[in-house]
Amino acid sequence: MIHTATHVEAGPLECAVCHFEQAAERLQLDDGMRAMLANSRRELSVSFPVKMDDGSLQVFHGYRVHHNDTRGPVKGGLRYSLAVNLDEVRALAMLMTWKCAVAHLPYGGAKGGVTVDPRGLSEGELERLTRRFGSEIGSFIGPERDIPAPDMGTNDRVMAWLMDTYSMSQGYSVPASFTGKPTSIGGSVGRAGATGRGIFFVTQEAYKQLGLSLEGATVAIQGFGNVGSTAARIFSAAGANVVAVSDSAEAIYDPSGLGDIDAIVASKREAGRLPSEHLHPGDHITNAELLALPVDILIPAALEGQITGANADAVKAKMIVEGANGPVVCSADAILEGNGTAVIPDIIANAGGVIVSYFEWVQDLQSFFWEEENINRRLERMIKSAFLEVTEEQEQNGGSLRDAAYRLAVGRVVEATEDRGIFP
Ligand code: NAD
């Protein structure tokens, strides 16, 4: 059984604001601009009833937050998890603003979610909850306003229900209203694996800059959902050695390598759990142990707040690539830096998902679809060149990669704000 990090000094919102404030200080932003960017532009909280299979009514709570729309319509995922609350959604919306800016996407940041464990719902309950939530946030979203995508606990099927619900309200099909949809209704090839693929491209570029090869590099991955399992597959196919993976129930570790990642993915899909029968009994480790493994690359790809001031000292990985949003809390950054662990921050490391979501939106608006090879090539070019800008900024002006990425991102949003001016 996995024990998650319990010593979380700051919540996700405090962490997000702390990273922003550090950049604001460095960019010498005035108080007005700081206050504007530290707060959400608009927030919607909804409570709505869903008819359960047993005939009862259950009330669920959901949110959609627009952090900033200065650079364009807002973009960000919808999360279904029991941990969803307004502060978490605010934090994740703010991260999306910086992520879109650092990747040069013409979007602002948003996030949303419902406080629910989707695994506890039947298919019918999940569909009714999704459609009702979609209807509740209907006035907030739209292809020119706010384009949601999948995140933890949601997937292409959920996006299909939401796109259909929104289209019904408009009276015609609006494929560009959501991204991460099935390809049969305007989804993009390459979107499902885009975040994991982007994590790989960024790590490959970082390794290239260090004069190292990913061949044989040891990798531990926390979380084996969309992001974690795709990253495991792609790193392994490129010759890296994936030695540990985990999900919310358990973690498996083999120092010589876990072998066939496709078989682990198939086991998770078919049996609902990670395979352990071919591993030695001692190869079950706790989540805390996974985070402290002596590996070259650690990819936290599950929840925020996993590496904190309490466990950062135990991390032995040479590099952390933030697959999840906010997995390293503010107070852990300095400890990791002091110990020589490089952190590639979420706002660039996991930007592959929103980059290909952008491609999906563009394709839907034009009703003209690209081939997967083209998508993957464009993703590689965009994310590597964005990462290069971050490392150049770090070289020129110092600090960590996170400091550099935030300076670029916040600077771009400030520039857009100044160019537009303040209404009225
Ligand atoms: P997912 O729901 O597909 O998978 C989440 C995984 O995390 C599951 O394997 C789950 O078992 C595991 N998990 C949950 N609690 C855990 C715990 N305590 N310890 C270990 N594992 C645990 O979600 P996802 O889409 O893969 O998203 C994962 C992270 O990546 C989130 O932080 C999300 O915001 C971020 N992210 C996702 C995308 C995307 O395109 N899906 C893009 C950018 C960032």
PDB file of all heavy atoms in Angstrom, residues 2 4 79 99 111 119 150-154 191 195 222-228 246-248 268 287 301-304 306 323-325 350 353, ligand 1:
ATOM      1  N   ILE A   2       0.514   2.207  -0.817  1.00  0.00           N
ATOM      2  CA  ILE A   2       1.318   3.417  -0.922  1.00  0.00           C
ATOM      3  C   ILE A   2       0.950   4.430   0.160  1.00  0.00           C
ATOM      4  O   ILE A   2      -0.202   4.596   0.502  1.00  0.00           O
ATOM      5  CB  ILE A   2       1.097   4.052  -2.306  1.00  0.00           C
ATOM      6  CG1 ILE A   2       2.025   3.361  -3.275  1.00  0.00           C
ATOM      7  CG2 ILE A   2       1.342   5.534  -2.327  1.00  0.00           C
ATOM      8  CD1 ILE A   2       1.925   3.872  -4.647  1.00  0.00           C
ATOM      9  N   THR A   4       1.224   8.337   0.782  1.00  0.00           N
ATOM     10  CA  THR A   4       1.578   9.573   0.085  1.00  0.00           C
ATOM     11  C   THR A   4       2.236  10.529   1.081  1.00  0.00           C
ATOM     12  O   THR A   4       2.102  10.375   2.291  1.00  0.00           O
ATOM     13  CB  THR A   4       0.333  10.257  -0.504  1.00  0.00           C
ATOM     14  OG1 THR A   4      -0.674  10.239   0.470  1.00  0.00           O
ATOM     15  CG2 THR A   4      -0.136   9.567  -1.744  1.00  0.00           C
ATOM     16  N   ARG A  79     -10.781  18.095 -13.908  1.00  0.00           N
ATOM     17  CA  ARG A  79     -10.311  17.003 -13.059  1.00  0.00           C
ATOM     18  C   ARG A  79     -11.469  16.426 -12.260  1.00  0.00           C
ATOM     19  O   ARG A  79     -12.272  17.185 -11.717  1.00  0.00           O
ATOM     20  CB  ARG A  79      -9.244  17.576 -12.126  1.00  0.00           C
ATOM     21  CG  ARG A  79      -8.648  16.593 -11.173  1.00  0.00           C
ATOM     22  CD  ARG A  79      -7.536  17.250 -10.355  1.00  0.00           C
ATOM     23  NE  ARG A  79      -6.304  17.429 -11.107  1.00  0.00           N
ATOM     24  CZ  ARG A  79      -5.119  17.652 -10.561  1.00  0.00           C
ATOM     25  NH1 ARG A  79      -5.006  17.740  -9.251  1.00  0.00           N
ATOM     26  NH2 ARG A  79      -4.043  17.801 -11.307  1.00  0.00           N
ATOM     27  N   LYS A  99       1.927  28.207 -18.309  1.00  0.00           N
ATOM     28  CA  LYS A  99       2.298  27.124 -19.239  1.00  0.00           C
ATOM     29  C   LYS A  99       2.023  27.538 -20.685  1.00  0.00           C
ATOM     30  O   LYS A  99       2.854  27.341 -21.574  1.00  0.00           O
ATOM     31  CB  LYS A  99       1.484  25.864 -18.892  1.00  0.00           C
ATOM     32  CG  LYS A  99       2.037  24.588 -19.452  1.00  0.00           C
ATOM     33  CD  LYS A  99       1.170  23.389 -19.091  1.00  0.00           C
ATOM     34  CE  LYS A  99       1.149  23.116 -17.604  1.00  0.00           C
ATOM     35  NZ  LYS A  99       0.331  21.922 -17.265  1.00  0.00           N
ATOM     36  N   LYS A 111      -8.912  26.152 -15.314  1.00  0.00           N
ATOM     37  CA  LYS A 111      -8.967  24.776 -14.811  1.00  0.00           C
ATOM     38  C   LYS A 111     -10.351  24.558 -14.237  1.00  0.00           C
ATOM     39  O   LYS A 111     -11.051  25.519 -13.905  1.00  0.00           O
ATOM     40  CB  LYS A 111      -7.913  24.562 -13.717  1.00  0.00           C
ATOM     41  CG  LYS A 111      -7.526  23.116 -13.533  1.00  0.00           C
ATOM     42  CD  LYS A 111      -6.533  22.685 -14.592  1.00  0.00           C
ATOM     43  CE  LYS A 111      -6.108  21.247 -14.437  1.00  0.00           C
ATOM     44  NZ  LYS A 111      -4.981  20.923 -15.328  1.00  0.00           N
ATOM     45  N   ARG A 119     -14.166   6.487  -9.950  1.00  0.00           N
ATOM     46  CA  ARG A 119     -14.140   5.016  -9.903  1.00  0.00           C
ATOM     47  C   ARG A 119     -15.309   4.462  -9.082  1.00  0.00           C
ATOM     48  O   ARG A 119     -15.635   3.290  -9.182  1.00  0.00           O
ATOM     49  CB  ARG A 119     -12.809   4.523  -9.312  1.00  0.00           C
ATOM     50  CG  ARG A 119     -11.621   4.835 -10.215  1.00  0.00           C
ATOM     51  CD  ARG A 119     -10.327   4.620  -9.476  1.00  0.00           C
ATOM     52  NE  ARG A 119     -10.287   5.404  -8.235  1.00  0.00           N
ATOM     53  CZ  ARG A 119      -9.266   5.454  -7.401  1.00  0.00           C
ATOM     54  NH1 ARG A 119      -8.196   4.745  -7.631  1.00  0.00           N
ATOM     55  NH2 ARG A 119      -9.302   6.198  -6.310  1.00  0.00           N
ATOM     56  N   PRO A 150      -9.020  16.992 -20.981  1.00  0.00           N
ATOM     57  CA  PRO A 150      -8.969  16.009 -19.887  1.00  0.00           C
ATOM     58  C   PRO A 150      -7.850  16.308 -18.887  1.00  0.00           C
ATOM     59  O   PRO A 150      -6.863  16.949 -19.226  1.00  0.00           O
ATOM     60  CB  PRO A 150      -8.664  14.674 -20.590  1.00  0.00           C
ATOM     61  CG  PRO A 150      -8.690  14.926 -22.045  1.00  0.00           C
ATOM     62  CD  PRO A 150      -8.586  16.400 -22.262  1.00  0.00           C
ATOM     63  N   ASP A 151      -8.025  15.830 -17.679  1.00  0.00           N
ATOM     64  CA  ASP A 151      -6.978  15.884 -16.643  1.00  0.00           C
ATOM     65  C   ASP A 151      -7.191  14.637 -15.783  1.00  0.00           C
ATOM     66  O   ASP A 151      -7.841  13.680 -16.235  1.00  0.00           O
ATOM     67  CB  ASP A 151      -7.096  17.185 -15.828  1.00  0.00           C
ATOM     68  CG  ASP A 151      -5.866  17.434 -14.956  1.00  0.00           C
ATOM     69  OD1 ASP A 151      -4.822  17.816 -15.503  1.00  0.00           O
ATOM     70  OD2 ASP A 151      -5.934  17.229 -13.734  1.00  0.00           O
ATOM     71  N   MET A 152      -6.696  14.641 -14.573  1.00  0.00           N
ATOM     72  CA  MET A 152      -6.834  13.455 -13.715  1.00  0.00           C
ATOM     73  C   MET A 152      -8.293  13.043 -13.577  1.00  0.00           C
ATOM     74  O   MET A 152      -9.154  13.867 -13.292  1.00  0.00           O
ATOM     75  CB  MET A 152      -6.297  13.760 -12.313  1.00  0.00           C
ATOM     76  CG  MET A 152      -4.839  13.481 -12.178  1.00  0.00           C
ATOM     77  SD  MET A 152      -4.302  13.741 -10.498  1.00  0.00           S
ATOM     78  CE  MET A 152      -4.791  12.207  -9.760  1.00  0.00           C
ATOM     79  N   GLY A 153      -8.554  11.775 -13.785  1.00  0.00           N
ATOM     80  CA  GLY A 153      -9.896  11.234 -13.578  1.00  0.00           C
ATOM     81  C   GLY A 153     -10.859  11.458 -14.728  1.00  0.00           C
ATOM     82  O   GLY A 153     -12.004  11.015 -14.668  1.00  0.00           O
ATOM     83  N   THR A 154     -10.429  12.184 -15.770  1.00  0.00           N
ATOM     84  CA  THR A 154     -11.287  12.353 -16.950  1.00  0.00           C
ATOM     85  C   THR A 154     -10.520  11.858 -18.178  1.00  0.00           C
ATOM     86  O   THR A 154      -9.305  11.694 -18.134  1.00  0.00           O
ATOM     87  CB  THR A 154     -11.714  13.823 -17.157  1.00  0.00           C
ATOM     88  OG1 THR A 154     -10.532  14.616 -17.323  1.00  0.00           O
ATOM     89  CG2 THR A 154     -12.527  14.356 -16.000  1.00  0.00           C
ATOM     90  N   ARG A 191      -3.008  13.165 -29.457  1.00  0.00           N
ATOM     91  CA  ARG A 191      -3.325  13.936 -28.244  1.00  0.00           C
ATOM     92  C   ARG A 191      -3.200  13.080 -26.988  1.00  0.00           C
ATOM     93  O   ARG A 191      -2.667  13.536 -25.976  1.00  0.00           O
ATOM     94  CB  ARG A 191      -4.744  14.538 -28.327  1.00  0.00           C
ATOM     95  CG  ARG A 191      -5.243  15.185 -27.024  1.00  0.00           C
ATOM     96  CD  ARG A 191      -4.352  16.339 -26.584  1.00  0.00           C
ATOM     97  NE  ARG A 191      -4.726  16.932 -25.319  1.00  0.00           N
ATOM     98  CZ  ARG A 191      -4.277  16.546 -24.125  1.00  0.00           C
ATOM     99  NH1 ARG A 191      -3.431  15.534 -24.026  1.00  0.00           N
ATOM    100  NH2 ARG A 191      -4.638  17.183 -23.029  1.00  0.00           N
ATOM    101  N   THR A 195       1.229  14.447 -23.592  1.00  0.00           N
ATOM    102  CA  THR A 195       1.908  14.957 -22.394  1.00  0.00           C
ATOM    103  C   THR A 195       3.141  14.104 -22.097  1.00  0.00           C
ATOM    104  O   THR A 195       4.234  14.628 -21.854  1.00  0.00           O
ATOM    105  CB  THR A 195       0.941  14.993 -21.192  1.00  0.00           C
ATOM    106  OG1 THR A 195      -0.223  15.734 -21.581  1.00  0.00           O
ATOM    107  CG2 THR A 195       1.572  15.658 -19.986  1.00  0.00           C
ATOM    108  N   GLN A 222       6.111   8.117 -10.772  1.00  0.00           N
ATOM    109  CA  GLN A 222       5.000   8.032  -9.824  1.00  0.00           C
ATOM    110  C   GLN A 222       3.707   8.350 -10.565  1.00  0.00           C
ATOM    111  O   GLN A 222       3.582   9.426 -11.152  1.00  0.00           O
ATOM    112  CB  GLN A 222       5.185   9.045  -8.687  1.00  0.00           C
ATOM    113  CG  GLN A 222       4.083   8.943  -7.646  1.00  0.00           C
ATOM    114  CD  GLN A 222       3.997  10.176  -6.754  1.00  0.00           C
ATOM    115  OE1 GLN A 222       4.131  11.305  -7.205  1.00  0.00           O
ATOM    116  NE2 GLN A 222       3.763   9.951  -5.484  1.00  0.00           N
ATOM    117  N   GLY A 223       2.751   7.421 -10.559  1.00  0.00           N
ATOM    118  CA  GLY A 223       1.485   7.613 -11.288  1.00  0.00           C
ATOM    119  C   GLY A 223       1.565   6.865 -12.604  1.00  0.00           C
ATOM    120  O   GLY A 223       2.537   7.007 -13.358  1.00  0.00           O
ATOM    121  N   PHE A 224       0.562   6.039 -12.860  1.00  0.00           N
ATOM    122  CA  PHE A 224       0.602   5.241 -14.086  1.00  0.00           C
ATOM    123  C   PHE A 224      -0.700   5.424 -14.851  1.00  0.00           C
ATOM    124  O   PHE A 224      -1.295   4.494 -15.360  1.00  0.00           O
ATOM    125  CB  PHE A 224       0.844   3.763 -13.727  1.00  0.00           C
ATOM    126  CG  PHE A 224       1.487   2.978 -14.840  1.00  0.00           C
ATOM    127  CD1 PHE A 224       2.776   3.263 -15.255  1.00  0.00           C
ATOM    128  CD2 PHE A 224       0.804   1.960 -15.476  1.00  0.00           C
ATOM    129  CE1 PHE A 224       3.378   2.554 -16.279  1.00  0.00           C
ATOM    130  CE2 PHE A 224       1.389   1.235 -16.507  1.00  0.00           C
ATOM    131  CZ  PHE A 224       2.681   1.535 -16.907  1.00  0.00           C
ATOM    132  N   GLY A 225      -1.160   6.684 -14.919  1.00  0.00           N
ATOM    133  CA  GLY A 225      -2.351   6.997 -15.709  1.00  0.00           C
ATOM    134  C   GLY A 225      -1.925   7.437 -17.095  1.00  0.00           C
ATOM    135  O   GLY A 225      -0.913   6.968 -17.628  1.00  0.00           O
ATOM    136  N   ASN A 226      -2.684   8.361 -17.666  1.00  0.00           N
ATOM    137  CA  ASN A 226      -2.373   8.837 -19.018  1.00  0.00           C
ATOM    138  C   ASN A 226      -0.915   9.294 -19.113  1.00  0.00           C
ATOM    139  O   ASN A 226      -0.154   8.820 -19.959  1.00  0.00           O
ATOM    140  CB  ASN A 226      -3.352   9.980 -19.361  1.00  0.00           C
ATOM    141  CG  ASN A 226      -3.029  10.630 -20.702  1.00  0.00           C
ATOM    142  OD1 ASN A 226      -1.869  10.912 -21.011  1.00  0.00           O
ATOM    143  ND2 ASN A 226      -4.038  10.859 -21.508  1.00  0.00           N
ATOM    144  N   VAL A 227      -0.508  10.199 -18.237  1.00  0.00           N
ATOM    145  CA  VAL A 227       0.816  10.807 -18.347  1.00  0.00           C
ATOM    146  C   VAL A 227       1.925   9.809 -17.997  1.00  0.00           C
ATOM    147  O   VAL A 227       2.873   9.601 -18.767  1.00  0.00           O
ATOM    148  CB  VAL A 227       0.917  12.064 -17.435  1.00  0.00           C
ATOM    149  CG1 VAL A 227       2.305  12.666 -17.489  1.00  0.00           C
ATOM    150  CG2 VAL A 227      -0.133  13.094 -17.836  1.00  0.00           C
ATOM    151  N   GLY A 228       1.801   9.161 -16.836  1.00  0.00           N
ATOM    152  CA  GLY A 228       2.855   8.262 -16.365  1.00  0.00           C
ATOM    153  C   GLY A 228       3.070   7.060 -17.277  1.00  0.00           C
ATOM    154  O   GLY A 228       4.210   6.696 -17.588  1.00  0.00           O
ATOM    155  N   SER A 246       4.327   3.478 -10.172  1.00  0.00           N
ATOM    156  CA  SER A 246       3.332   3.306  -9.107  1.00  0.00           C
ATOM    157  C   SER A 246       1.975   3.813  -9.567  1.00  0.00           C
ATOM    158  O   SER A 246       1.886   4.593 -10.522  1.00  0.00           O
ATOM    159  CB  SER A 246       3.745   4.084  -7.850  1.00  0.00           C
ATOM    160  OG  SER A 246       3.649   5.470  -8.079  1.00  0.00           O
ATOM    161  N   ASP A 247       0.920   3.330  -8.887  1.00  0.00           N
ATOM    162  CA  ASP A 247      -0.386   3.966  -9.033  1.00  0.00           C
ATOM    163  C   ASP A 247      -0.891   4.270  -7.630  1.00  0.00           C
ATOM    164  O   ASP A 247      -0.116   4.198  -6.671  1.00  0.00           O
ATOM    165  CB  ASP A 247      -1.353   3.112  -9.879  1.00  0.00           C
ATOM    166  CG  ASP A 247      -1.645   1.762  -9.241  1.00  0.00           C
ATOM    167  OD1 ASP A 247      -1.315   1.576  -8.051  1.00  0.00           O
ATOM    168  OD2 ASP A 247      -2.212   0.894  -9.932  1.00  0.00           O
ATOM    169  N   SER A 248      -2.189   4.588  -7.493  1.00  0.00           N
ATOM    170  CA  SER A 248      -2.640   5.011  -6.164  1.00  0.00           C
ATOM    171  C   SER A 248      -2.634   3.846  -5.179  1.00  0.00           C
ATOM    172  O   SER A 248      -2.649   4.051  -3.976  1.00  0.00           O
ATOM    173  CB  SER A 248      -4.041   5.610  -6.251  1.00  0.00           C
ATOM    174  OG  SER A 248      -4.926   4.663  -6.804  1.00  0.00           O
ATOM    175  N   LYS A 268      -2.522  -3.331 -16.197  1.00  0.00           N
ATOM    176  CA  LYS A 268      -3.256  -2.261 -15.504  1.00  0.00           C
ATOM    177  C   LYS A 268      -4.639  -2.091 -16.143  1.00  0.00           C
ATOM    178  O   LYS A 268      -5.639  -1.911 -15.451  1.00  0.00           O
ATOM    179  CB  LYS A 268      -2.418  -0.973 -15.599  1.00  0.00           C
ATOM    180  CG  LYS A 268      -3.073   0.272 -15.072  1.00  0.00           C
ATOM    181  CD  LYS A 268      -2.938   0.445 -13.580  1.00  0.00           C
ATOM    182  CE  LYS A 268      -3.585   1.760 -13.146  1.00  0.00           C
ATOM    183  NZ  LYS A 268      -4.130   1.748 -11.832  1.00  0.00           N
ATOM    184  N   ASN A 287       5.322   4.514  -1.749  1.00  0.00           N
ATOM    185  CA  ASN A 287       5.427   5.719  -2.558  1.00  0.00           C
ATOM    186  C   ASN A 287       6.608   6.569  -2.093  1.00  0.00           C
ATOM    187  O   ASN A 287       7.366   7.099  -2.908  1.00  0.00           O
ATOM    188  CB  ASN A 287       4.130   6.509  -2.430  1.00  0.00           C
ATOM    189  CG  ASN A 287       4.111   7.691  -3.350  1.00  0.00           C
ATOM    190  OD1 ASN A 287       4.415   7.592  -4.525  1.00  0.00           O
ATOM    191  ND2 ASN A 287       3.781   8.833  -2.801  1.00  0.00           N
ATOM    192  N   ALA A 301       4.182  11.886 -11.706  1.00  0.00           N
ATOM    193  CA  ALA A 301       3.123  12.083 -12.720  1.00  0.00           C
ATOM    194  C   ALA A 301       1.764  11.727 -12.134  1.00  0.00           C
ATOM    195  O   ALA A 301       0.923  11.119 -12.794  1.00  0.00           O
ATOM    196  CB  ALA A 301       3.420  11.236 -13.956  1.00  0.00           C
ATOM    197  N   ALA A 302       1.562  12.092 -10.856  1.00  0.00           N
ATOM    198  CA  ALA A 302       0.270  11.789 -10.220  1.00  0.00           C
ATOM    199  C   ALA A 302      -0.336  13.067  -9.641  1.00  0.00           C
ATOM    200  O   ALA A 302      -1.104  13.758 -10.309  1.00  0.00           O
ATOM    201  CB  ALA A 302       0.453  10.719  -9.151  1.00  0.00           C
ATOM    202  N   LEU A 303       0.047  13.376  -8.411  1.00  0.00           N
ATOM    203  CA  LEU A 303      -0.606  14.464  -7.676  1.00  0.00           C
ATOM    204  C   LEU A 303       0.350  15.614  -7.407  1.00  0.00           C
ATOM    205  O   LEU A 303       1.564  15.440  -7.491  1.00  0.00           O
ATOM    206  CB  LEU A 303      -1.060  13.942  -6.304  1.00  0.00           C
ATOM    207  CG  LEU A 303      -1.923  12.699  -6.282  1.00  0.00           C
ATOM    208  CD1 LEU A 303      -2.010  12.161  -4.865  1.00  0.00           C
ATOM    209  CD2 LEU A 303      -3.298  13.046  -6.809  1.00  0.00           C
ATOM    210  N   GLU A 304      -0.222  16.752  -6.993  1.00  0.00           N
ATOM    211  CA  GLU A 304       0.624  17.841  -6.542  1.00  0.00           C
ATOM    212  C   GLU A 304       1.099  17.563  -5.107  1.00  0.00           C
ATOM    213  O   GLU A 304       0.608  16.658  -4.445  1.00  0.00           O
ATOM    214  CB  GLU A 304      -0.105  19.195  -6.595  1.00  0.00           C
ATOM    215  CG  GLU A 304      -1.399  19.246  -5.843  1.00  0.00           C
ATOM    216  CD  GLU A 304      -2.612  19.054  -6.759  1.00  0.00           C
ATOM    217  OE1 GLU A 304      -2.458  18.472  -7.848  1.00  0.00           O
ATOM    218  OE2 GLU A 304      -3.702  19.459  -6.350  1.00  0.00           O
ATOM    219  N   GLN A 306       3.884  16.357  -3.702  1.00  0.00           N
ATOM    220  CA  GLN A 306       4.496  15.071  -3.366  1.00  0.00           C
ATOM    221  C   GLN A 306       5.899  15.217  -2.793  1.00  0.00           C
ATOM    222  O   GLN A 306       6.312  14.438  -1.956  1.00  0.00           O
ATOM    223  CB  GLN A 306       4.536  14.165  -4.607  1.00  0.00           C
ATOM    224  CG  GLN A 306       3.161  13.743  -5.055  1.00  0.00           C
ATOM    225  CD  GLN A 306       2.423  13.000  -3.953  1.00  0.00           C
ATOM    226  OE1 GLN A 306       2.801  11.898  -3.576  1.00  0.00           O
ATOM    227  NE2 GLN A 306       1.392  13.612  -3.403  1.00  0.00           N
ATOM    228  N   GLY A 323       6.027  15.766 -14.354  1.00  0.00           N
ATOM    229  CA  GLY A 323       4.931  15.318 -15.217  1.00  0.00           C
ATOM    230  C   GLY A 323       3.601  15.824 -14.688  1.00  0.00           C
ATOM    231  O   GLY A 323       2.735  16.283 -15.424  1.00  0.00           O
ATOM    232  N   ALA A 324       3.430  15.741 -13.374  1.00  0.00           N
ATOM    233  CA  ALA A 324       2.214  16.261 -12.726  1.00  0.00           C
ATOM    234  C   ALA A 324       2.314  17.774 -12.629  1.00  0.00           C
ATOM    235  O   ALA A 324       3.373  18.359 -12.851  1.00  0.00           O
ATOM    236  CB  ALA A 324       2.072  15.656 -11.333  1.00  0.00           C
ATOM    237  N   ASN A 325       1.217  18.401 -12.279  1.00  0.00           N
ATOM    238  CA  ASN A 325       1.226  19.835 -12.005  1.00  0.00           C
ATOM    239  C   ASN A 325       1.502  20.042 -10.522  1.00  0.00           C
ATOM    240  O   ASN A 325       0.809  19.482  -9.678  1.00  0.00           O
ATOM    241  CB  ASN A 325      -0.127  20.443 -12.380  1.00  0.00           C
ATOM    242  CG  ASN A 325      -0.289  20.535 -13.885  1.00  0.00           C
ATOM    243  OD1 ASN A 325       0.557  21.074 -14.579  1.00  0.00           O
ATOM    244  ND2 ASN A 325      -1.388  19.981 -14.397  1.00  0.00           N
ATOM    245  N   ASN A 350       5.399  19.438 -18.732  1.00  0.00           N
ATOM    246  CA  ASN A 350       4.185  18.718 -19.150  1.00  0.00           C
ATOM    247  C   ASN A 350       3.320  19.537 -20.121  1.00  0.00           C
ATOM    248  O   ASN A 350       2.130  19.264 -20.283  1.00  0.00           O
ATOM    249  CB  ASN A 350       3.393  18.222 -17.930  1.00  0.00           C
ATOM    250  CG  ASN A 350       2.757  19.339 -17.121  1.00  0.00           C
ATOM    251  OD1 ASN A 350       2.310  20.348 -17.666  1.00  0.00           O
ATOM    252  ND2 ASN A 350       2.686  19.161 -15.810  1.00  0.00           N
ATOM    253  N   GLY A 353       0.754  18.269 -23.543  1.00  0.00           N
ATOM    254  CA  GLY A 353      -0.693  18.036 -23.625  1.00  0.00           C
ATOM    255  C   GLY A 353      -1.418  19.257 -24.163  1.00  0.00           C
ATOM    256  O   GLY A 353      -2.239  19.160 -25.080  1.00  0.00           O
TER     257      GLY A 353
HETATM  258  P1  NAD B   1      -4.823   9.965 -14.672  1.00  0.00           P
HETATM  259  O1  NAD B   1      -6.084  10.062 -13.906  1.00  0.00           O
HETATM  260  O2  NAD B   1      -4.843   9.377 -16.029  1.00  0.00           O
HETATM  261  O3  NAD B   1      -3.728   9.176 -13.818  1.00  0.00           O
HETATM  262  C1  NAD B   1      -3.353   9.531 -12.528  1.00  0.00           C
HETATM  263  C2  NAD B   1      -2.490   8.424 -11.965  1.00  0.00           C
HETATM  264  O4  NAD B   1      -2.006   8.810 -10.678  1.00  0.00           O
HETATM  265  C3  NAD B   1      -3.220   7.093 -11.783  1.00  0.00           C
HETATM  266  O5  NAD B   1      -2.364   6.040 -12.172  1.00  0.00           O
HETATM  267  C4  NAD B   1      -3.456   7.037 -10.289  1.00  0.00           C
HETATM  268  O6  NAD B   1      -3.557   5.702  -9.806  1.00  0.00           O
HETATM  269  C5  NAD B   1      -2.185   7.700  -9.805  1.00  0.00           C
HETATM  270  N1  NAD B   1      -2.259   8.174  -8.444  1.00  0.00           N
HETATM  271  C6  NAD B   1      -3.272   8.816  -7.820  1.00  0.00           C
HETATM  272  N2  NAD B   1      -2.930   9.029  -6.540  1.00  0.00           N
HETATM  273  C7  NAD B   1      -1.691   8.526  -6.375  1.00  0.00           C
HETATM  274  C8  NAD B   1      -0.795   8.438  -5.289  1.00  0.00           C
HETATM  275  N3  NAD B   1      -1.153   8.911  -4.095  1.00  0.00           N
HETATM  276  N4  NAD B   1       0.421   7.861  -5.479  1.00  0.00           N
HETATM  277  C9  NAD B   1       0.770   7.372  -6.676  1.00  0.00           C
HETATM  278  N5  NAD B   1      -0.041   7.418  -7.745  1.00  0.00           N
HETATM  279  C10 NAD B   1      -1.247   7.992  -7.579  1.00  0.00           C
HETATM  280  O7  NAD B   1      -4.231  11.459 -14.703  1.00  0.00           O
HETATM  281  P2  NAD B   1      -3.210  12.075 -15.743  1.00  0.00           P
HETATM  282  O8  NAD B   1      -3.989  12.701 -16.833  1.00  0.00           O
HETATM  283  O9  NAD B   1      -2.161  11.081 -16.034  1.00  0.00           O
HETATM  284  O10 NAD B   1      -2.613  13.266 -14.875  1.00  0.00           O
HETATM  285  C11 NAD B   1      -1.550  13.077 -13.937  1.00  0.00           C
HETATM  286  C12 NAD B   1      -0.929  14.419 -13.589  1.00  0.00           C
HETATM  287  O11 NAD B   1      -0.442  15.028 -14.793  1.00  0.00           O
HETATM  288  C13 NAD B   1      -1.880  15.449 -12.972  1.00  0.00           C
HETATM  289  O12 NAD B   1      -1.142  16.255 -12.087  1.00  0.00           O
HETATM  290  C14 NAD B   1      -2.303  16.295 -14.157  1.00  0.00           C
HETATM  291  O13 NAD B   1      -2.727  17.583 -13.789  1.00  0.00           O
HETATM  292  C15 NAD B   1      -1.001  16.334 -14.930  1.00  0.00           C
HETATM  293  N6  NAD B   1      -1.158  16.653 -16.354  1.00  0.00           N
HETATM  294  C16 NAD B   1      -1.966  15.907 -17.156  1.00  0.00           C
HETATM  295  C17 NAD B   1      -2.075  16.223 -18.511  1.00  0.00           C
HETATM  296  C18 NAD B   1      -2.885  15.388 -19.457  1.00  0.00           C
HETATM  297  O14 NAD B   1      -2.807  15.656 -20.676  1.00  0.00           O
HETATM  298  N7  NAD B   1      -3.622  14.403 -19.020  1.00  0.00           N
HETATM  299  C19 NAD B   1      -1.366  17.332 -19.023  1.00  0.00           C
HETATM  300  C20 NAD B   1      -0.545  18.056 -18.172  1.00  0.00           C
HETATM  301  C21 NAD B   1      -0.440  17.706 -16.834  1.00  0.00           C
END
